[in-house]
Amino acid sequence: MNDLDFLRTPEGRALLDEVRDTDPAQELAVATRLRRTHPAPLVSAALGQARLRQRAAAKFGAADAGRMFFTPNGVEQSTRASVAAYRAERLHGLGVRSVADLCCGIGGDAIALARAGIRVLAVDRDPLTCEAARANADALGLADLIEVREADVTEVDTAPYDAVFVDPARRGGRGRIFDPEAYSPPLSWAVAAARTASRAAALKVAPGIPHEAVPADAEAEWVSDGGDVKEAVLWFGAGAAPGAVRATLLPGPRTLPGAGLPDPEARAPGRYLYEPDGAVVRAHLVAEVAAQVGGGLLDATIAYVTADELLPTPYATAYEITDRMPFNVKKLKALLRERGVGTLTVKKRGSAVEPEELRKKVRPQGPNAATVFLTRVAGAPTMLIGHPAR
């Protein structure tokens, strides 16, 4: 029997409950104690699953993660629950009531779709991954809405379903895959499958996908959660605006549509610096943010917006800049000592200096806090010092 077979038995579930909060530093001692009364393979499987559940809590929340079953790749590659829920609600709002979820993994997206009231065919070719997806549907009470099928996604008939969702594998033996045609299955196949959907389709792709790789009949959406860019989605069919781009920020959601604005001009630093959300940057919508705040760019090649007024926008974080100087570690260290700065946040765009390296060199000490931006102004390496605008 494999690990999941073990863990789904009454003995396995009881052992999972017992090791749920095990500190990794205590694993050896706990394993030694439990092996006196339980088979060694079951103890190892339970402790391994406890580790995976602890890691998965950041994506799925402690309550769901504590009931679900994971594989190492499943934890790494699954969609954050908040992002999957947003996408599922968008599909539901388009009138979608059934979805073929291709490359379903451990079922994270299928769970979100089912919770939105959508019937799901979840397909993956890996037997253990499929078993995890079935176990998760059952553990969360969604087995009636989720059918898990072990198959090659390229051989599945999606015609009976309103929509198609494809999440191609973007990791290989050497790490992340950046070429969309090296995805498994390739992006070209996923696009062809999307175009056959009777109502709508969504393709999850890497947020770094080149804009020129986006098909002309797709709408491209970049999604961030809590300021971290999580994915890009290519939408087809109902509700999609071909050729359009948008940035969506979670929680919210708040969506910034592209207006086709030209790149803003570079200008001298003003009193405020705006740091656009990563989804805005990936979607190439910095010009839309600059227009909202009446600003320009610090440098023609850097996605920092500068302005003279504080005009809050949900699509960028505003900072009040108090000091500007050419890049010079000694001068920065002296300034921070003079200001009593002990908590230093280092941000960078267009600089090769690593934040932790700079922090070690300036050794900030004191009761105050500051933010330093390592960037370029009119091509020159520059440091801007300030704090979040209030």
Side-chain angles (χ1 to χ4, degrees):
M1 295 200 305
N2 62 39
D3 288 356
L4 291 184
D5 288 332
F6 270 128
L7 298 175
R8 297 181 73 188
T9 64
E11 182 183 6
R13 291 181 183 277
L15 193 55
L16 276 172
D17 288 340
E18 187 171 351
V19 302
R20 178 178 54 204
D21 299 319
T22 299
D23 185 328
Q26 300 301 316
E27 272 194 14
L28 181 58
V30 171
T32 301
R33 173 175 59 80
L34 291 175
R35 283 171 181 160
R36 296 172 189 149
T37 53
H38 298 280
L42 181 55
V43 172
S44 296
L47 286 169
Q49 193 61 221
R51 274 197 308 274
L52 294 174
R53 286 178 167 183
Q54 289 169 6
R55 286 173 52 197
K59 283 189 174 182
F60 291 91
D64 280 354
R67 293 186 289 165
M68 292 172 67
F69 295 88
F70 298 96
T71 64
N73 284 341
V75 172
E76 182 71 27
Q77 298 178 17
S78 56
T79 305
R80 182 179 289 264
S82 55
V83 179
Y86 161 73
R87 195 186 322 102
E89 288 299 331
R90 180 171 175 182
L91 284 167
H92 186 270
L94 295 172
V96 169
R97 296 298 178 265
S98 62
V99 171
D101 176 4
L102 308 181
C103 309
C104 69
I106 60 164
D109 287 288
I111 289 165
L113 290 163
R115 283 177 167 168
I118 297 173
R119 181 170 56 87
V120 185
L121 170 67
V123 184
D124 203 283
R125 66 182 178 185
D126 180 69
L128 181 59
T129 299
C130 286
E131 187 175 349
R134 288 191 192 95
N136 291 333
D138 182 61
L140 299 180
L142 298 168
D144 288 345
L145 283 170
I146 300 174
E147 174 195 347
V148 179
R149 184 182 302 174
E150 181 188 332
D152 185 329
V153 296
T154 64
E155 299 174 358
V156 173
D157 179 14
T158 61
Y161 299 87
D162 295 339
V164 170
F165 172 66
V166 191
D167 182 6
R170 294 177 299 282
R171 286 181 180 273
R174 298 183 179 180
R176 291 183 179 178
I177 296 171
F178 297 98
D179 177 7
E181 282 307 296
Y183 293 172
S184 181
L187 180 61
S188 57
W189 179 88
V191 168
R195 288 172 176 155
T196 67
S198 62
R199 184 159 189 82
L203 310 183
K204 178 181 172 181
V205 295
I209 184 172
H211 280 231
E212 56 270 22
V214 176
D217 57 337
E219 174 188 301
E221 178 180 34
W222 280 261
V223 182
S224 68
D225 187 20
D228 294 328
V229 184
K230 294 302 178 183
E231 64 180 48
V233 187
L234 306 184
W235 293 91
F236 296 80
V245 297
R246 62 163 70 186
T248 296
L249 282 55
L250 303 175
R254 297 183 177 91
T255 295
L256 178 66
L261 300 180
D263 291 340
E265 294 184 0
R267 50 153 289 182
R271 182 176 177 182
Y272 296 97
L273 180 149
Y274 292 85
E275 180 185 28
D277 183 272
V280 171
V281 176
R282 293 284 194 177
H284 297 179
L285 299 180
V286 174
E288 280 72 3
V289 169
Q292 286 186 358
V293 302
L297 297 179
L298 281 175
D299 184 277
T301 63
I302 304 294
Y304 282 141
V305 174
T306 184
D308 298 318
E309 294 184 75
L310 178 60
L311 297 173
T313 170
Y315 305 109
T317 303
Y319 295 84
E320 184 174 7
I321 300 302
T322 57
D323 299 272
R324 168 190 172 188
M325 63 179 71
F327 181 82
N328 186 299
V329 175
K330 289 184 178 180
K331 288 184 177 180
L332 177 62
K333 184 175 182 180
L335 177 66
L336 297 177
R337 186 185 302 117
E338 176 187 328
R339 303 278 171 83
V341 172
T343 302
L344 181 66
T345 300
V346 182
K347 293 177 173 287
K348 69 166 194 169
R349 281 181 181 166
S351 171
V353 178
E354 291 301 325
E356 194 53 43
E357 176 188 338
L358 180 67
R359 234 182 252 105
K360 288 179 181 178
K361 289 181 177 179
V362 299
R363 295 196 297 273
Q365 295 181 354
N368 300 320
T371 301
V372 59
F373 293 88
L374 307 179
T375 186
R376 295 195 301 270
V377 173
T382 303
M383 298 185 297
L384 300 173
I385 299 92
H387 53 76
R390 292 182 288 273

